Amino acid sequence: MPAKNGSAGGTRLVIVESPAKAKTIAGYLGRGYIVESSIGHIRDLPEKADDIPEKFKGAPWARLGVNVEHEFEPLYVVNPDKRSQVNKLRQLLKDADELYLATDEDREGEAIAWHLREVLKPKVPVHRMVFHEITPQAIRDAVANPRDLNLRLVDAQETRRILDRLYGYEVSPVLWKKVKPRLSAGRVQSVATRLVVERERERMAFTVAHYWDLQALFDTGKADERPRDFTGTLTGVDGKRVAQGRDFASTGQLKGNANVLHLSEAAAGELAGRLQGSSFAVRSVERKPYTRKPYAPFRTTTLQQEASRKLGFSAKYTMQVAQRLYENGFITYMRTDSITLSETAVAAARSQAVKLYGAAYVPDKPRVYSSKVKSAQEAHEAIRPSGEEFRTPGETGLSGDMFRLYELIWQRTVSSQMKDAVGESITVKVGGRSSAGEDVEFSASGRTITFYGFLKAYVEGADDPSTDRDDSEKRLPNLVEGDALSVTRLDVAGHSTKPPARYTEASLVKELEDREIGRPSTYASIIGTILDRGYVFKKGTALVPSFLAFAVVNLLEQHFGNLVDYDFTADMEKVLDDIANDRAERVPELQRFYYGGGEDGDEGLKEMVTDLGDIDAKEISSFPVKGTDIVLRVGRYGPYLDRDGARVNVPEDMTPDELTADKAEELFSRPTGDRQLGPDPVTGHMIVAKDGRYGPYVTEVLPEPVADEEAPKRRTKKADAVKPRTSSLFKSMSLDTITLDDALKLLTIPRVVGELEGEEVVAHNGKFGPYLKKGTDSRSLGSEDDLLTVTIDQAKELFAQPKQRGRGRAAAAAPLRELGDDPNSKKPVVVKEGRFGPYVTDGETNASLRKGDTVEDITIERAAELLAERRERAPAPKKTTTRKAPAKKAPAKKPAAKS
């Protein structure tokens, strides 16, 4: 219920987007305010045909929801699930003297406020109330200093919505016709998918190169020195630099301009032999001051990246947790391009740094940060703890993931106002001669930190786990030029070049931002979409494109190249910024996008989707396997390999870069699964074992029906056709070893066990395991073997027992793996085998492993992410209330007319 307090000064209705935000703000406002939520957007373009008003259904543009024939006028409809809330807001507005629209201060929030005004049609004064943190003072200031709606922001958001609608509704049907039904295309989503596919193409084209060097452990001979030894790497022979990974191209060959010595394993070993007993000395010691400045406070994208690296959160989950922190008054607004802090926030951060670390860790002057994002959109602050004084994490009363994310934001904000970390970096060159007279040089680098500064409070994570942290040290002995050294160990070290790393959520967010593609506030939903659509799946934290994504990107690149061009997509963001800043108009830009033209005479979207005759659906979804006559094709039911008409399915969890020539040949060499086991002694029908889309199974081959030439011909319905008996193999069986006897037993399933209480009891092998069914009642069986042996007496005992539900219905099996403690619940996480396949659990929350996850490779970080997402999707617990006697009804009011 909205908070309502009467006042002699009248009643003010404040509308925000979410119930949680409404509850917090209501607690800060005094008498005379009613705070209610719109529960997000109240109206939008129609999602389906039923949503289109009757008078527009015959219009040729109606399916788009945008009148492309008349200035791209959008057709807005109140969302069916929001009608009751809209009616509630109208009723509240009747008793209000003023209306405050307090939605978020960005383009989307401005558009929501505008839609509220257009739908509610208030007859009282309307104010736009804006704030970037939910604290008592911020809310009081927002009420005291309202502004008008910014229609330029509304125009920019409306243009974005129309662009996305036209792109999705015009291009997606092309994918349905040429690739696979029910696919989707999106203005930024498709470009993000292309980035992931291109990275996989680079990996597939990559040829590994191998190179060797020497690793020497040098001893200074100084017994009182700590450390007294250090490791050096061979860097030069006779003045020629020894090849390193950076000298090789992706083809596996040395780069054309690389004048280096490429040592083979044999050559490196021989050189090591010639260096045995050689004398070495320090040739040079180079010392440089080391300085590391603090990281800027968080903006949306850097928060998503760090939460991914440090907490294992997906971008989507990070924003969900941040939203709750904001709405409950713990942090400032979380969708921002800004890294600046207000004077109040700077003072709070400096004060807390002094209190926690001492005045020596805080610079004399406050630090000022300016955004490096060219298209920074809003004038918000950075993401920081809310209020004039920051609460430490322990003072918030938070727990779980909200606590962990708040702590990350708090640490980053406080550290941003602390002193630099300083120290010294050292590079040492060591020289010697081999028995053959070769001049060799080894190199070693070190770093010491003499003052940790901001690193005391916060150290940023890295996408590459092998990268040294900013607070790591590598100490070398105290060396001077000319110091003699002895070698205590000399090893040949082999190295291999690595293909480009796949994107993670963190690195994909960074790539999108660096290319200025899309808005940072939309990255979480974009990554969520390409995961949900099956274009990308996760293998650990890496984002792997599916073969389906290859087919979709192939079509878009060949026939809609402009729409997935990185520069074109980035330029569209600049256009939206120009509209927001009154430098461009909505209609001309939409006209150019949809119908083409402009200075460059570009082809418009409408023309692109009109003539699809030259798109060869088979060619689009076909990819030759290099070095073979095998072609990978993406079919309606998944990817498969084709060689002159012979086909074999590609395993669902295979990544594209794993499909090498050898792997393709191996898949074809495997048994096809079509094995004739022999005739059924009763029917004479041949029994066959096959490998199907849903796994191995056995079936019978029915004879072709004999046509009756005199009988009138009619079309046979599927229901009339005789279907062969079919049964899946038990998990304990395999296609290679199954016998005719086994198959005949399987074909008795579903098996009638007997009769109980006048109803048949039937043994079934279902999607969730073996079970008995009696009418509408059912009971699980302990194993698949029980399907063939369970008796009616055993069935009677089972049905006499209460029905158990959930994964715990069977005796608890030992976990497949123990992963460690969940950082959120602090409980041990294990991997178990369930009816739906393997899953992770902390004893309270269960989350199934997804495509790309394996029992052997899953980490505690990935398990924590799956559990966190599962908790977020879990329904809120139902409230139990004592039922009161119904009050006497008042006379019914006449319902308000629908608008």
Side-chain angles (χ1 to χ4, degrees):
M1 290 293 291
K4 182 174 181 178
N5 295 292
S7 169
T11 300
R12 297 166 178 174
L13 175 61
V14 179
I15 303 179
V16 298
E17 303 100 316
S18 74
K21 188 175 174 182
K23 182 178 179 182
T24 306
I25 292 174
Y28 296 152
L29 292 174
R31 294 175 60 82
Y33 290 90
I34 299 173
V35 186
E36 185 53 78
S37 165
S38 66
I39 317 180
H41 291 268
I42 61 166
R43 70 173 187 172
D44 197 0
L45 303 175
E47 287 294 325
K48 51 185 184 294
D50 290 347
D51 296 339
I52 300 172
E54 197 64 38
K55 64 179 179 179
F56 296 113
K57 285 190 175 179
W61 51 266
R63 69 176 183 86
L64 299 173
V66 178
N67 189 346
V68 294
E69 299 170 357
H70 186 262
E71 296 191 337
F72 295 89
E73 185 178 332
L75 173 61
Y76 289 122
V77 295
V78 174
N79 303 337
D81 60 339
K82 297 294 175 66
R83 287 172 187 159
S84 62
Q85 189 66 15
V86 169
N87 288 334
K88 181 178 182 181
L89 294 173
R90 283 183 176 137
Q91 291 298 322
L92 292 172
L93 187 57
K94 285 181 179 180
D95 299 325
D97 301 294
E98 291 179 271
L99 173 62
Y100 284 80
L101 300 173
T103 51
D104 292 338
E105 190 188 8
D106 56 13
R107 292 176 190 170
E108 187 173 10
E110 205 74 13
I112 293 174
W114 178 77
H115 282 294
L116 283 165
R117 190 186 71 175
E118 294 298 297
V119 171
L120 298 178
K121 295 179 171 55
K123 297 177 181 178
V124 296
V126 179
H127 310 288
R128 181 73 172 101
M129 175 178 159
V130 293
F131 43 87
H132 62 269
E133 62 180 335
I134 302 176
T135 61
Q137 186 59 48
I139 297 304
R140 285 193 293 269
D141 290 345
V143 170
N145 301 282
R147 63 167 171 80
D148 293 330
L149 274 168
N150 186 332
L151 296 183
R152 299 306 303 179
L153 292 181
V154 175
D155 268 356
Q157 181 63 23
E158 185 171 76
T159 306
R160 174 189 296 281
R161 185 70 185 96
I162 293 172
L163 283 171
D164 291 344
R165 169 55 65 96
L166 295 176
Y167 190 119
Y169 274 46
E170 293 285 29
V171 180
S172 295
V174 180
L175 301 182
W176 305 343
K177 295 174 185 175
K178 301 298 182 179
V179 181
K180 186 179 177 182
R182 304 184 70 179
L183 296 178
S184 73
R187 188 175 57 86
V188 180
Q189 150 197 332
S190 297
V191 174
T193 304
R194 184 189 173 200
L195 279 170
V196 180
V197 168
E198 281 199 336
R199 180 58 58 86
E200 196 72 8
R201 287 172 179 164
E202 292 173 15
R203 292 173 62 86
M204 293 167 73
F206 182 83
T207 301
V208 67
H210 303 286
Y211 58 99
W212 281 260
D213 56 30
L214 301 179
Q215 302 283 328
L217 183 63
F218 294 107
D219 190 347
T220 63
K222 302 173 183 177
D224 56 346
E225 185 87 29
R226 289 292 181 274
R228 62 175 281 176
D229 55 18
F230 65 97
T231 299
T233 301
L234 179 69
T235 56
V237 177
D238 285 336
K240 200 168 188 179
R241 186 169 60 83
V242 175
Q244 300 176 3
R246 66 174 183 269
D247 297 312
F248 294 89
S250 61
T251 58
Q253 303 297 315
L254 281 170
K255 294 176 181 175
N257 59 352
N259 183 25
V260 294
L261 174 64
H262 181 193
L263 287 176
S264 65
E265 184 177 17
E270 291 167 2
L271 178 59
R274 295 193 295 273
L275 288 172
Q276 294 298 326
S278 296
S279 299
F280 292 88
V282 175
R283 287 184 175 173
S284 67
V285 178
E286 183 181 11
R287 301 176 185 273
K288 291 182 179 179
Y290 164 80
T291 302
R292 184 70 175 86
K293 295 184 179 299
Y295 323 104
F298 281 131
R299 61 182 186 271
T300 300
T301 51
T302 52
L303 176 63
Q304 291 171 354
Q305 291 167 50
E306 273 294 84
S308 174
R309 298 173 188 134
K310 288 195 164 190
L311 307 180
F313 291 178
S314 66
K316 182 178 179 180
Y317 186 65
T318 298
M319 297 310 291
Q320 290 170 343
V321 178
Q323 180 89 30
R324 294 205 301 270
L325 287 171
Y326 166 65
E327 291 177 345
N328 287 282
F330 290 103
I331 64 171
T332 54
Y333 191 54
M334 66 286 158
R335 294 186 182 91
T336 175
D337 298 325
S338 176
I339 55 173
T340 61
L341 294 175
S342 66
E343 291 183 8
T344 302
V346 167
R350 288 170 60 83
S351 171
Q352 199 144 75
V354 169
K355 183 178 179 182
L356 294 172
Y357 303 103
Y361 280 83
V362 181
D364 294 335
K365 293 182 179 180
R367 291 187 181 274
V368 178
Y369 296 90
S370 58
S371 178
K372 295 180 181 178
V373 180
K374 296 178 185 176
S375 58
Q377 177 180 298
E378 269 77 67
H380 296 138
E381 269 194 87
I383 304 169
R384 63 165 176 84
S386 61
E388 296 180 0
E389 293 183 2
F390 296 165
R391 288 167 283 186
T392 64
E395 292 170 339
T396 61
L398 294 168
S399 62
D401 289 342
M402 288 179 72
F403 176 90
R404 297 170 68 207
L405 192 63
Y406 178 86
E407 182 179 47
L408 198 69
I409 295 167
W410 173 79
Q411 289 174 336
R412 178 85 164 215
T413 308
V414 172
S415 71
S416 73
Q417 289 299 318
M418 294 173 67
K419 282 186 177 179
D420 298 343
V422 295
E424 185 179 60
S425 61
I426 308 168
T427 302
V428 176
K429 302 286 186 182
V430 176
R433 286 193 175 273
S434 72
S435 59
E438 298 152 302
D439 181 82
V440 297
E441 189 167 85
F442 289 77
S443 179
S445 297
R447 182 173 71 192
T448 56
I449 299 175
T450 55
F451 179 72
Y452 276 82
F454 77 95
L455 292 175
K456 278 277 189 181
Y458 187 81
V459 183
E460 190 172 68
D463 293 321
D464 183 355
S466 64
T467 303
D468 289 336
R469 283 167 47 111
D470 285 339
D471 63 342
S472 64
E473 290 187 291
K474 183 181 178 182
R475 293 184 175 273
L476 295 178
N478 188 20
L479 299 167
V480 295
E481 187 175 327
D483 278 356
L485 302 170
S486 61
V487 177
T488 58
R489 193 175 72 243
L490 187 62
D491 299 321
V492 175
H495 310 276
S496 299
T497 55
K498 295 180 181 179
R502 290 189 177 103
Y503 287 111
T504 61
E505 288 204 27
S507 59
L508 182 58
V509 164
K510 186 176 187 305
E511 185 73 15
L512 289 167
E513 184 177 38
D514 288 346
R515 291 177 179 267
E516 298 181 28
I517 293 170
R519 297 288 340 149
S521 60
T522 65
Y523 292 159
S525 62
I526 289 164
I527 293 174
T529 297
I530 64 177
L531 285 165
D532 294 342
R533 296 289 184 183
Y535 295 145
V536 172
F537 63 93
K538 280 191 173 182
K539 199 169 183 69
T541 59
L543 298 174
V544 184
S546 63
F547 290 107
L548 175 63
F550 272 72
V552 169
V553 170
N554 199 26
L555 184 151
L556 294 175
E557 285 177 334
Q558 290 188 32
H559 299 276
F560 300 93
N562 210 30
L563 297 183
V564 288
D565 179 79
Y566 301 132
D567 291 337
F568 174 82
T569 309
D571 287 343
M572 287 306 302
E573 293 302 325
K574 295 184 178 74
V575 167
L576 295 172
D577 290 339
D578 287 343
I579 293 172
N581 293 305
D582 205 13
R583 294 191 296 263
E585 294 299 326
R586 180 177 70 88
V587 174
E589 296 299 340
L590 290 170
Q591 184 86 18
R592 185 168 64 87
F593 174 77
Y594 193 68
Y595 288 113
E599 295 178 3
D600 301 325
D602 293 331
E603 184 181 21
L605 175 62
K606 179 66 175 174
E607 187 178 349
M608 292 182 198
V609 299
T610 299
D611 184 12
L612 305 178
D614 61 340
I615 300 180
D616 186 328
K618 186 175 182 180
E619 181 185 345
I620 283 293
S621 299
S622 299
F623 305 92
V625 179
K626 187 178 179 181
T628 72
D629 59 347
I630 300 170
V631 178
L632 178 130
R633 302 194 195 279
V634 178
R636 201 165 272 242
Y637 303 112
Y640 63 92
L641 298 179
D642 186 344
R643 173 188 269 159
D644 297 329
R647 296 183 177 187
V648 62
N649 289 332
V650 175
E652 187 177 317
D653 59 349
M654 178 177 284
T655 62
D657 70 338
E658 292 173 349
L659 187 60
T660 60
D662 291 341
K663 192 66 180 180
E665 293 288 358
E666 179 192 328
L667 291 173
F668 264 107
S669 68
R670 292 178 182 176
T672 62
D674 290 4
R675 287 183 55 218
Q676 290 191 351
L677 303 178
D680 184 333
V682 177
T683 65
H685 299 158
M686 180 58 68
I687 306 301
V688 181
K690 295 189 173 190
D691 191 6
R693 183 180 166 203
Y694 301 109
Y697 68 99
V698 292
T699 187
E700 60 182 339
V701 180
L702 300 180
E704 291 290 330
V706 179
D708 186 349
E709 295 182 0
E710 297 182 3
K713 292 185 178 180
R714 65 183 179 90
R715 194 173 286 178
T716 304
K717 295 180 180 179
K718 285 187 178 181
D720 296 339
V722 179
K723 295 181 179 179
R725 292 174 295 159
T726 299
S727 183
S728 296
L729 268 61
F730 289 171
K731 290 180 181 178
S732 58
M733 299 176 176
S734 73
L735 285 171
D736 298 333
T737 59
I738 190 169
T739 64
L740 175 62
D741 186 51
D742 293 332
L744 292 173
K745 289 177 181 177
L746 290 175
L747 292 175
T748 64
I749 301 170
R751 179 174 74 90
V752 177
V753 178
E755 191 174 292
L756 280 177
E757 300 169 352
E759 291 185 293
E760 273 190 345
V761 176
V762 183
H764 292 268
N765 201 4
K767 180 181 178 182
F768 307 128
Y771 67 99
L772 292 175
K773 186 172 184 181
K774 177 172 70 76
T776 58
D777 201 4
S778 63
R779 293 292 186 277
S780 294
L781 291 171
S783 71
E784 289 178 316
D785 292 333
D786 292 342
L787 289 165
L788 304 173
T789 60
V790 66
T791 64
I792 191 65
D793 290 334
Q794 291 170 329
K796 186 176 182 179
E797 290 180 17
L798 281 173
F799 280 104
Q801 297 171 9
K803 190 171 184 177
Q804 295 183 345
R805 300 184 182 278
R807 278 182 165 133
R809 67 178 67 186
L816 304 177
R817 276 187 67 202
E818 297 179 356
L819 301 178
D821 289 347
D822 177 38
N824 180 50
S825 66
K826 309 300 183 187
K827 296 184 177 181
V829 178
V830 297
V831 186
K832 288 190 171 185
E833 183 66 49
R835 291 184 300 154
F836 307 93
Y839 66 98
V840 291
T841 180
D842 65 351
E844 291 183 351
T845 305
N846 301 336
S848 296
L849 269 60
R850 297 183 188 168
K851 181 179 178 181
D853 297 325
T854 63
V855 173
E856 297 76 19
D857 298 332
I858 192 167
T859 62
I860 182 60
E861 291 79 15
R862 174 62 174 155
E865 179 185 352
L866 292 173
L867 291 170
E869 290 182 358
R870 184 68 185 88
R871 291 187 196 102
E872 185 64 25
R873 295 197 309 271
K878 294 182 178 178
K879 294 182 179 179
T880 55
T881 56
T882 306
R883 188 172 181 178
K884 296 180 180 180
K888 187 176 179 181
K889 290 185 178 180
K893 290 184 179 180
K894 185 177 179 180
K898 294 181 179 179
S899 60

